[in-house]
């Protein structure tokens, strides 16, 4: 069984939900990322989403755009991100790692080379933000053959018909974007999310993670009640930005935020 | 090319021109694009809509634009007769208004009270602000902070027209970043907002829809040239940034195989220097802004900074139909440098009394090279896509003049 599937299965058996942090790889510098990943695992996260920096992050808000810029300025590249995952795997062979980013760097590397190198480095899945299932005909068989999960987004505007199609095409887990807008947007309506997640469940057997708008222990706890996983990104990336000039503080700072979320998610009523 | 493609069949249902085009966007935009596509596919065959569009083109834009034989310039160059398609004489001073009039009518049909746009030189921003003013739509225009600085005149025009210009300082602070920001706005405000894209790039259906609205350029030019000379032209020239004026001119001629098509990209300091904005000449296929096309990118797939004297061509991608026309060999894509462009700008102004936009001056610069290689009995149509008033500051600065 894949690392992602075993992870969600074990959590389900314990009646717990996945805490899934997103951080941009190489932000603010390459040396920060691997220690940060280990610190996040120690804080109780279940899956790590690692952002692959891109020059034109069209679907991201200012916080993650700036993270991409910092990482690129510090020399980040897709191959560099794969090397970080390989280094992380020297000490951690169980926590699933998913790359999240845009298609063009993957195209530049080549689908086949990317999928093979990613799996060899210990990557479990990839979420290519600007690659909907309609355009994934060439990519999907390559990922499937290499055993790289293809994670798709579902949005508040996604029709039920498309939900079914996306659920069919996706593997690993589904990522429900809880808000219209870019990453880091503001308000979150948990009741609306709950309704949507139930609709998605009618069409999907995969676990459902929910992201966008989760920024603290309270929102993480609320989403954990309705979804299988809670994705938190901009809140962490903002903390990294705040400590960009004291990079040795970053793992502790981010782990602190995540530990609060973990505790809130696991607390019984 | 052994077999002629059925050009009218492109793009396919998914928005593809061969391997190019498509709809590479986040799931958050898929529903909006599907809605736009359905609306537009119904409207493009709706006689009431088309009549309204034609009426606006005639009475508001001032079409047809003339096809003018530049006799003195042709004589001086000593070769082919050069005809200028005078899109500079349109209301707002460029071809851009054909498309904004069309998209604004679509927005109105969809009941969207707010429009947004990206702009480089400001021509598309002005054309959007203009139609928004006329229809009483709220209008916000995203513009790279660097372009806001070098196109002050157009920024002020947009403000006078009631639009809000939002400077974008992310990334390289130019047209591509303005487009990123406009996409982000659209994702967030999709319920009440229509995104008027200014070129034949972006996710399907934009490249098709924008092309359709600009086809009037080529339809008119073809009929006018036939009327004035009794024959078809031998070559068409148009500048290519995103490529909207070029596709508008080219498209009605695609099946006329005797007509050579030349798209002229911004060579900047020269393709060999790397400081240019010519993805067809110096880039490779990739995915940006919702479509697969030729891009200026580095080995890691990161988009690289472009350079051009003309803000309107300073874009690292190009419309997917151009990418396809290049690959199937139907059109040729060439480039001229900033210096050659400036020389053509000055020459047309002095010889014909027509001051072209620096964008359009790229096509003129290539005409200066091409015309002398052709016979006097042959003819060229150059798309004079915009007027040069907005570029006077840029040219004056080069001449060391500060107003």
């Amino acid at each position: 069984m894949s690392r992602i599937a075993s992870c969600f299965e074990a959590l389900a058996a314990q009646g717990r939900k996945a805490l899934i942090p997103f951080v941009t790889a190489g932000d603010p510098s390459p040396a920060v990322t691997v220690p940060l990943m280990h610190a996040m695992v120690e804080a109780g996260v279940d899956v790590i989403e690692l952002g692959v920096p891109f020059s034109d992050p069209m679907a991201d808000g200012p916080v993650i755009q700036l993270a991409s810029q910092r990482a690129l300025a510090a020399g980040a590249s897709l191959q560099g991100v794969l090397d970080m995952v390989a280094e992380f795997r020297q000490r951690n062979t169980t926590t699933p790692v998913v790359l999240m980013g845009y298609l063009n760097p993957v195209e530049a590397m080549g689908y086949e080379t990317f999928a093979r190198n990613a799996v060899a480095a210990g990557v479990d899945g990839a979420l290519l933000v600007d690659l909907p299932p309609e355009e994934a005909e060439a990519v999907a068989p390559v990922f499937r053959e290499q055993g790289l999960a293809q994670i798709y987004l579902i949005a508040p505007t996604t029709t039920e018909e498309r939900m079914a199609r996306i659920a069919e095409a996706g593997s690993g887990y589904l990522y429900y974007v809880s808000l219209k807008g870019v990453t880091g947007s503001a308000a979150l309506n948990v009741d609306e999310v709950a309704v949507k997640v139930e609709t998605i469940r009618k069409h999907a057997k995969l676990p459902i993670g929910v992201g966008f708008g989760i920024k603290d222990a309270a929102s993480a706890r609320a989403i954990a009640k309705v979804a299988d996983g809670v994705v938190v990104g901009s809140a962490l990336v903002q903390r990294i930005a705040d400590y960009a000039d004291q990079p040795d503080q970053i793992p502790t700072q981010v782990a602190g935020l995540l530990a609060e979320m973990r505790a809130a998610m696991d607390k019984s009523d | 090319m052994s077999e002629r493609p059925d050009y009218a069949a492109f793009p396919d249902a998914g928005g593809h021109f061969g391997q190019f085009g498509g709809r590479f966007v986040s799931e958050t935009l898929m529903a909006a694009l599907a809605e736009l596509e359905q609306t537009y596919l119904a409207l493009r065959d709706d006689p009431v809509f088309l009549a309204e569009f034609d009426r606006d083109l005639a009475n508001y834009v001032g079409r047809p634009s003339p096809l003018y034989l530049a006799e003195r310039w042709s004589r001086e160059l000593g070769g082919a007769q050069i005809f200028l398609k005078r899109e500079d004489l349109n209301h707002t001073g460029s071809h851009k208004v054909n498309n904004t009039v069309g998209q604004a009518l679509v927005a109105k049909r969809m009941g969207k009270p707010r429009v947004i746009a990206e702009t480089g030189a400001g021509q598309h921003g002005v054309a959007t602000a203009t139609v928004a003013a006329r229809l009483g739509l709220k209008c916000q225009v995203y513009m790279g902070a660097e372009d806001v600085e070098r196109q002050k005149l157009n920024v002020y025009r947009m403000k006078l027209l009631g639009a809000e210009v939002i400077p974008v300082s992310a990334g390289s602070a130019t047209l591509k970043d303005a487009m990123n920001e406009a996409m982000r706005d659209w994702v967030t405000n999709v319920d009440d907002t229509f995104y008027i894209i200014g070129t034949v790039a972006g996710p399907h259906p934009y490249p098709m829809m924008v092309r359709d609205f600009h086809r009037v350029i080529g339809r008119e030019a073809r009929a006018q040239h036939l009327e004035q000379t009794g024959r078809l032209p031998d070559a068409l020239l148009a500048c290519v940034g995103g490529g909207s004026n070029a596709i508008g001119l080219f498209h009605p001629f695609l099946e006329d195989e005797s007509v050579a098509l030349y798209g002229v990209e911004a060579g900047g300091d020269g393709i060999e220097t790397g400081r240019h904005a010519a993805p067809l000449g110096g880039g490779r296929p990739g995915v940006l802004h919702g479509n697969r096309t030729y891009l200026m990118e580095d080995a890691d797939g990161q988009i690289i900074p472009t350079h051009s004297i003309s803000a309107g061509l300073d874009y690292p991608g190009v419309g997917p139909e151009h990418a396809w026309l290049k690959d199937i060999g139907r059109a040729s894509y060439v480039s001229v440098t900033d210096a050659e462009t400036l020389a053509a700008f000055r020459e047309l102004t002095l010889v014909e009394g027509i001051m072209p936009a620096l964008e359009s001056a790229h096509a003129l610069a290539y005409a200066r090279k091409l015309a002398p290689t052709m016979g006097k009995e042959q003819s060229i149509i150059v798309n004079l896509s915009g007027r040069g008033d907005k570029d006077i500051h840029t040219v004056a600065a080069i001449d060391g003049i500060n107003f």
Side-chain angles (χ1 to χ4, degrees), chain B residues 61-76:
Chain B
V61 175
R63 303 205 70 95
S65 68
L67 184 73
Y68 166 73
L69 172 59
E71 269 182 274
R72 187 171 168 222
W73 196 41
S74 304
R75 201 161 55 238
E76 285 199 359

Side-chain angles (χ1 to χ4, degrees), chain A:
Chain A
M1 194 187 295
S2 76
R3 263 189 292 254
I4 296 175
S6 348
C7 169
F8 278 98
E9 200 159 281
L11 285 166
Q14 302 162 7
R16 296 167 75 235
K17 303 300 175 67
L19 177 57
I20 308 174
F22 167 97
V23 294
T24 300
D27 168 34
S29 60
V32 171
T33 305
V34 175
L36 174 59
M37 291 169 78
H38 288 304
M40 293 194 296
V41 172
E42 280 154 32
V45 310
D46 304 290
V47 177
I48 294 175
E49 285 185 359
L50 215 45
V52 179
F54 182 49
S55 54
D56 292 78
M58 220 170 73
D60 284 299
V63 171
I64 292 175
Q65 288 173 46
L66 288 171
S68 254
Q69 284 186 23
R70 284 191 298 270
L72 288 172
S77 68
L78 179 52
Q79 186 54 54
V81 177
L82 298 182
D83 294 343
M84 289 173 192
V85 178
E87 191 189 332
F88 172 74
R89 284 280 173 245
Q90 289 172 9
R91 277 180 50 204
N92 182 316
T93 55
T94 52
T95 307
V97 175
V98 168
L99 301 188
M100 187 167 178
Y102 295 79
L103 181 59
N104 204 51
V106 171
E107 285 227 347
M109 184 179 275
Y111 298 152
E112 184 95 39
T113 308
F114 166 72
R116 216 178 21 242
N117 292 358
V119 169
V123 173
D124 300 285
L127 195 173
L128 299 170
V129 177
D130 53 353
L131 184 72
E134 285 85 345
E135 300 289 358
E137 265 176 38
V139 180
V142 177
F143 281 19
R144 206 174 305 124
E145 188 167 315
Q146 298 294 331
L148 191 63
Q150 187 147 23
I151 293 154
Y152 282 112
L153 296 172
I154 291 178
T157 48
T158 305
T159 60
E160 273 201 65
E161 192 188 347
R162 273 186 68 73
M163 278 179 195
R165 177 172 189 179
I166 294 168
E168 177 71 31
S171 48
Y173 57 95
L174 292 167
Y175 184 152
Y176 178 64
V177 172
S178 55
L179 293 169
K180 286 176 195 167
V182 293
T183 51
S185 306
L188 178 67
N189 183 329
V190 178
D191 294 338
E192 276 178 26
V193 172
V195 172
K196 280 288 181 182
V197 169
E198 281 321 301
T199 313
I200 299 169
R201 281 198 204 286
K202 286 197 283 180
H203 303 282
K205 292 195 179 67
L206 293 172
I208 301 167
V210 171
F212 281 33
I214 296 154
K215 49 180 176 292
D216 51 22
S219 45
R221 176 175 168 79
I223 291 297
K225 286 187 184 304
V226 301
D228 304 309
V230 176
V231 187
V232 52
S234 295
L236 305 180
V237 175
Q238 183 58 53
R239 187 62 65 95
I240 292 170
D242 295 342
Y243 284 83
D245 53 359
Q246 300 157 259
D248 51 325
Q249 295 287 311
I250 288 172
T252 324
Q253 284 294 328
V254 172
L257 261 179
L258 287 165
E260 290 169 24
M261 293 180 179
R262 177 82 268 169
M265 287 165 61
D266 290 351
K267 196 173 69 181
S268 50
D269 288 312

